[in-house]
Amino acid sequence: MATSHFDVAYCSSYYEGITMHMLQNLKSGIKNSAFTLLELAQVRLEMARIELNEQKNQLILTLALVLLSSIFLLISFISLLFGLNTILSEEQKVWVFFLISGMGILFVFILGGIVISSLKKQRHFMEATLQEVKLDIEAMKKATQLKQDNIKE
């Protein structure tokens, strides 16, 4: 009878040890998953910061070039108008200036279409990075669930 009582106590402490070991594994797995998730989030945020910085630099360069080209275009256009005013007869001046005005309006519409097209392309800015963050979160959820299922078994 004494050995039977010893066996029960031994089995009970053995199962408690296994249970404690499983709980430690579960805690360790969850902790590791959380650290991995935080590291992935840090990497993705760093990628997003780099993309935003590149976007900002590109925008500044584009605006500077547009401003500079607008100034040169204005100077050349004023010079052209002064030159045409001295060369053309009165009847030719009217038609040439209307033609220049019409071409300018057409040019503005074309540039407006290009700007709108460019803005539509920017709508997908950082979409890939955000999609990768979502995939990382889903993968971490699945990995954590698999670890919990393996420990329960």
Side-chain angles (χ1 to χ4, degrees):
M1 281 269 175
T3 44
S4 169
H5 183 268
F6 176 73
D7 289 339
V8 171
Y10 175 75
C11 288
S12 176
S13 69
Y14 176 74
Y15 287 122
E16 285 177 10
I18 290 175
T19 304
M20 292 299 280
H21 182 68
M22 288 173 56
L23 284 175
Q24 291 296 332
N25 284 343
L26 179 63
K27 287 180 184 178
S28 175
I30 291 173
K31 184 189 289 187
N32 288 340
S33 296
F35 284 133
T36 304
L37 185 61
L38 287 174
E39 288 173 352
L40 282 172
Q42 180 184 5
V43 168
R44 296 299 183 193
L45 288 173
E46 186 68 22
M47 288 173 57
R49 185 189 66 79
I50 290 169
E51 286 184 33
L52 281 172
N53 198 22
E54 288 177 8
Q55 184 73 12
K56 176 195 65 145
N57 292 340
Q58 189 67 29
L59 183 63
I60 290 171
L61 178 64
T62 302
L63 288 176
L65 291 175
V66 165
L67 180 64
L68 190 61
S69 66
S70 297
I71 290 170
F72 285 133
L73 181 65
L74 181 64
I75 290 170
S76 66
F77 192 67
I78 290 172
S79 297
L80 174 70
L81 290 178
F82 280 132
L84 288 175
N85 192 31
T86 58
I87 293 175
L88 298 175
S89 67
E90 291 299 320
E91 187 177 316
Q92 290 174 332
K93 287 180 188 178
V94 173
W95 289 108
V96 169
F97 291 133
F98 280 130
L99 179 66
I100 291 173
S101 176
M103 288 174 43
I105 290 173
L106 179 65
F107 186 66
V108 167
F109 285 136
I110 291 171
L111 287 179
I114 292 171
V115 167
I116 290 172
S117 173
S118 176
L119 290 175
K120 285 182 181 179
K121 289 179 185 176
Q122 294 300 321
R123 188 181 343 190
H124 301 294
F125 171 66
M126 280 186 41
E127 189 172 302
T129 301
L130 295 176
Q131 186 64 29
E132 289 175 9
V133 169
K134 288 178 186 177
L135 291 174
D136 289 342
I137 291 171
E138 288 297 319
M140 290 304 296
K141 285 180 182 178
K142 288 179 183 178
T144 305
Q145 185 65 33
L146 285 175
K147 285 182 183 180
Q148 289 175 353
D149 291 345
N150 289 338
I151 290 174
K152 288 180 184 177
E153 292 175 357

